[in-house]
């Protein structure tokens, strides 16, 4: 439940509230389907400003629209603009998703219903994805004569591999949640209507851990896709050494030896 001392804030399309110490819920609420137009882009940017100011916060991105996480980009807007405005709109969306995907934050997408096009790109920009059993995910841009242009062609292969990513994008099909879970597009599969609850539970668990360590895990895993193996090993060593010298490793090791919970920031 939201903290009664901290009411929801945001714009008309995105609101956020602190549901627990160190856990922020960001809720998309733009009927009828959470199209990722200017209102949601601006709302997400404002929510990210809040995250940056809050520091070590685990974030859950969810939806208040039944049947939809987010159905995609704002097609009506895209169809009525010129080339320059089309590029500007795409850059705004890409900028927000890139900020969301930064390795210095942990975010969890709670997907119940449809996550299509830009909606799936939003979910893939999050660190983890939890989906209800009836959710459906896809990148149908080929039906519009376009490609997934907000990171979809790059993030999807890193999650599911080249062949599966091509199958999903070339066919423009909707992937049922059980299949999405089996191929690694979704990290946890829960009963319908339970994605947000499970995401908030996981967020609370993660917040009790060392945030610098979690961020270092994300950075080193991401490096595995970009660096040769030997360079990846070297980067891993550097990250671990940094945690030992200036992170929270000393507190974690001391707490283990003293048989007490660690006091992480």
């Amino acid at each position: 439940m939201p903290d009664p001392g901290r009411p929801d804030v945001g714009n008309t399309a995105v609101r956020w509230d602190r549901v627990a110490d160190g856990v922020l819920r960001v809720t998309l609420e733009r009927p009828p389907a959470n199209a990722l137009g200017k209102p949601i882009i601006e709302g997400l940017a404002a929510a990210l400003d809040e995250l940056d100011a809050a520091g070590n916060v685990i974030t859950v991105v969810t939806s208040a629209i039944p049947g939809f996480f987010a159905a995609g980009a704002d097609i009506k807007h895209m169809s009525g603009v010129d080339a320059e405005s089309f590029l500007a709109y795409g850059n705004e969306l890409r900028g927000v998703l890139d900020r969301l995907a930064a390795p210095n934050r942990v975010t969890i997408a709670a997907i119940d219903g449809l996550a299509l096009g830009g909606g799936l790109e939003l979910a893939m920009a999050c660190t983890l994805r939890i989906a209800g059993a009836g959710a459906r995910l896809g990148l149908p841009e080929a039906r519009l004569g376009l490609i997934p242009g907000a990171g979809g062609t790059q993030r999807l292969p890193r999650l599911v591999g080249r062949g599966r990513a091509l199958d999903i994008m070339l066919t423009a099909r909707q992937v049922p949640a059980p299949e999405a879970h089996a191929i690694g597009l979704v990290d946890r599969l829960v009963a319908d209507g339970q994605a947000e609850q499970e995401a908030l539970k996981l967020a609370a668990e993660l917040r009790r851990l060392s945030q610098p360590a979690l961020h270092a895990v994300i950075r080193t895993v991401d490096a595995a896709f970009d660096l040769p193996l030997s360079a990846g090993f070297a980067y891993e060593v550097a990250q671990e050494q940094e945690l030992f010298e200036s992170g929270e490793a000393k507190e974690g090791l001391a707490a283990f030896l003293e048989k007490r919970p660690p006091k992480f920031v």
Side-chain angles (χ1 to χ4, degrees):
M1 295 295 292
D3 179 354
R6 185 181 177 84
D8 291 355
V9 292
N11 63 9
T12 58
V14 179
R15 55 184 169 84
W16 55 88
D17 61 318
R18 190 76 63 89
V19 296
D21 184 29
V23 177
L24 191 77
R25 173 172 53 192
V26 176
T27 304
L28 310 181
E29 193 172 25
R30 188 192 181 200
N34 284 335
L36 300 183
K38 290 264 189 181
I40 282 188
I41 292 173
E42 292 172 358
L44 286 173
L48 287 163
D49 290 342
E50 172 80 5
L51 293 179
D52 291 340
N56 289 332
V57 174
I58 308 293
T59 306
V60 171
V61 181
T62 186
S63 167
I65 307 299
F68 293 94
F69 175 73
D74 192 333
I75 295 176
K76 184 176 180 180
H77 171 77
M78 291 165 59
S79 66
V81 300
D82 58 21
E84 184 178 354
S85 298
F86 179 82
L87 179 61
Y89 165 68
N91 285 339
E92 284 186 73
L93 178 57
R94 285 184 283 270
V96 165
L97 299 192
D98 287 346
R99 284 184 66 192
L100 187 68
N104 63 339
R105 67 176 97 251
V106 179
T107 53
I108 306 168
I111 306 167
D112 268 310
L114 296 176
L116 302 177
L120 180 53
E121 290 177 306
L122 168 61
M124 290 192 296
C126 293
T127 314
L128 297 169
R129 285 150 297 284
I130 297 176
R136 300 181 72 86
L137 305 89
L139 295 172
E141 283 83 355
R143 295 185 188 276
L144 305 175
L146 294 167
I147 64 172
T153 65
Q154 303 304 301
R155 292 191 173 102
L156 185 61
R158 284 167 166 79
L159 292 171
V160 305
R162 180 180 185 273
R164 290 188 176 114
L166 286 173
D167 173 79
I168 291 168
M169 288 185 281
L170 293 178
T171 64
R173 67 188 180 92
Q174 294 182 11
V175 181
E179 180 187 350
H181 182 240
I183 64 176
L185 179 54
V186 164
D187 301 295
R188 295 191 182 187
L189 188 65
V190 297
D192 275 335
Q194 298 299 306
E196 181 179 321
Q197 179 179 335
E198 182 67 19
L200 291 172
K201 178 182 175 182
L202 175 59
E205 293 174 1
L206 294 176
R207 186 58 188 89
R208 290 192 288 269
L209 302 176
S210 168
Q211 300 307 293
L214 295 187
H215 301 160
V217 167
I218 296 169
R219 288 193 297 270
T220 50
V221 169
D222 287 347
F225 293 92
D226 300 320
L227 298 176
L229 186 59
S230 59
F233 284 147
Y235 186 71
E236 178 185 83
V237 169
Q239 291 294 301
E240 184 176 43
Q241 188 68 21
E242 182 178 346
L243 290 171
F244 183 81
E245 293 180 11
S246 58
E248 297 181 323
K250 285 183 169 55
E251 167 60 18
L253 294 169
F256 180 83
L257 293 174
E258 295 166 13
K259 296 182 171 56
R260 60 171 176 83
K263 297 176 182 177
F264 295 133
V265 176

